[in-house]
Amino acid sequence: MPDSHASAGGPDLDLRLVRYFTVVADHRHFGRAAAALHLAQPHLSRQIRRLEGQMGVRLLDRTPKGTRLTEAGADFLPRAKALLRSATDALAYARAAARPSRITIGYATDLIVTPAVRELRRRHPEADVRTLHLGWKQIPTALLEHQVDAMVTRLPLPTDQLRVTVLYDEPRVLVVPLDHRLAGRESITLDDIADEPLPRMPNPVWNAFWRVDPRPDGSRAPDGPLVDAIEDKLELIAAGQAVSIAPAGVRGNLRADLTAVPVEDIEPGRVVLATRADDRNRLLTAFRASAKAHLVGPDAGGRGRAVA
């Protein structure tokens, strides 16, 4: 029966109970869901019944094999998850509005943000300006999950709900071991590595760009091992199991047993500043101007090579 506290405008849902429901729905089992939530199973069952009472519908049915969603539950689940995401975003935006003088700037490996950050701190000494290095797994979601407020990274990048400002182009190079047949060349072309395996990454968009797959002639890049971390990729290259196309910025931080050779016939990468499209933090405008002025590439008078 509907909860007595429901207003004339609809049920007054407890978001904590909505979260409990999504966990049970994902696990399809009250016991496993209770363990994941660190709750006693009877308590979790009571909370789900309370939510069903608030809504006036049955969401879950117990079966001998576990738990299944009712038709109403299956319809509610994606909306419940969207509701929880909206609540998280609303809280983050409210906190940002209450603390307009705080900003966290993320940056990808081998990209230096120091000159722009120093300028922002100089112009806004009252602000709490923080920086955070982002691993490649964090980059696609760091902004939308509010780990950072701005991010200096490389394309390709999922740009839905983001504002993206191009800072500069960055050539691409081929990373090879020192004893590789191409090491020491002034430059190479894709034809030079037509038969060389390149490591694969879990992200298909990154694979297409960084492996140049397919090639301009329609051929496919030879498959190397699947890697999940930069360190593993460098180890494979050093061991002679693969070569890898990488941004030119890696040259200053390569292992001593690796070297990089410019690749002539592929388009450069792009280094960008990304922010949430609807974020109104006043410091973002200031940092965007500072980034455009100071983050202009590693070869532009040294301004992009400041050390943190």
Side-chain angles (χ1 to χ4, degrees), residues 187-207:
S187 64
I188 60 107
T189 68
L190 287 176
D191 286 343
D192 292 318
I193 56 170
D195 299 319
E196 295 274 2
L198 284 83
R200 293 170 293 125
M201 295 171 283
N203 186 311
V205 176
W206 288 350
N207 271 330

Side-chain angles (χ1 to χ4, degrees), residues 98-230:
R99 297 191 297 265
S101 292
R102 174 179 294 179
I103 185 173
T104 300
I105 299 161
Y107 59 96
T109 300
D110 298 312
L111 293 180
I112 295 175
V113 297
T114 313
V117 171
R118 282 178 174 167
E119 177 69 7
L120 184 65
R121 288 175 175 150
R122 186 184 70 81
R123 290 182 176 273
H124 298 274
E126 81 292 350
D128 181 5
V129 180
R130 305 180 183 187
T131 56
L132 178 67
H133 174 259
L134 298 171
W136 63 356
K137 291 182 182 178
Q138 297 172 281
I139 288 170
T141 59
L143 281 166
L144 298 183
E145 292 183 356
H146 294 268
Q147 297 175 44
V148 297
D149 303 299
M151 179 170 66
V152 177
T153 186
R154 298 177 173 94
L155 296 180
L157 174 74
T159 57
D160 291 349
Q161 304 178 60
L162 300 184
R163 176 179 176 181
V164 175
T165 302
V166 175
L167 298 176
Y168 59 87
D169 288 348
E170 182 182 35
R172 287 189 276 175
V173 298
L174 184 73
V175 180
V176 298
L178 289 177
D179 59 357
H180 192 274
R181 62 185 176 84
L182 298 175
R185 294 268 295 267
E186 289 188 7
S187 64
I188 60 107
T189 68
L190 287 176
D191 286 343
D192 292 318
I193 56 170
D195 299 319
E196 295 274 2
L198 284 83
R200 293 170 293 125
M201 295 171 283
N203 186 311
V205 176
W206 288 350
N207 271 330
F209 184 78
W210 290 109
R211 287 163 44 84
V212 193
D213 188 24
R215 300 288 162 80
D217 63 3
S219 63
R220 302 308 301 262
D223 282 346
L226 181 67
V227 296
D228 206 32
I230 292 176

Side-chain angles (χ1 to χ4, degrees), residues 23-24 73 115 145 163 235 238 240 257 262:
V23 175
V24 176
E145 292 183 356
R163 176 179 176 181
E235 178 60 31
D257 52 358

Side-chain angles (χ1 to χ4, degrees), residues 226-237:
L226 181 67
V227 296
D228 206 32
I230 292 176
E231 292 76 10
D232 292 334
K233 180 171 70 171
L234 296 179
E235 178 60 31
L236 287 169
I237 298 169

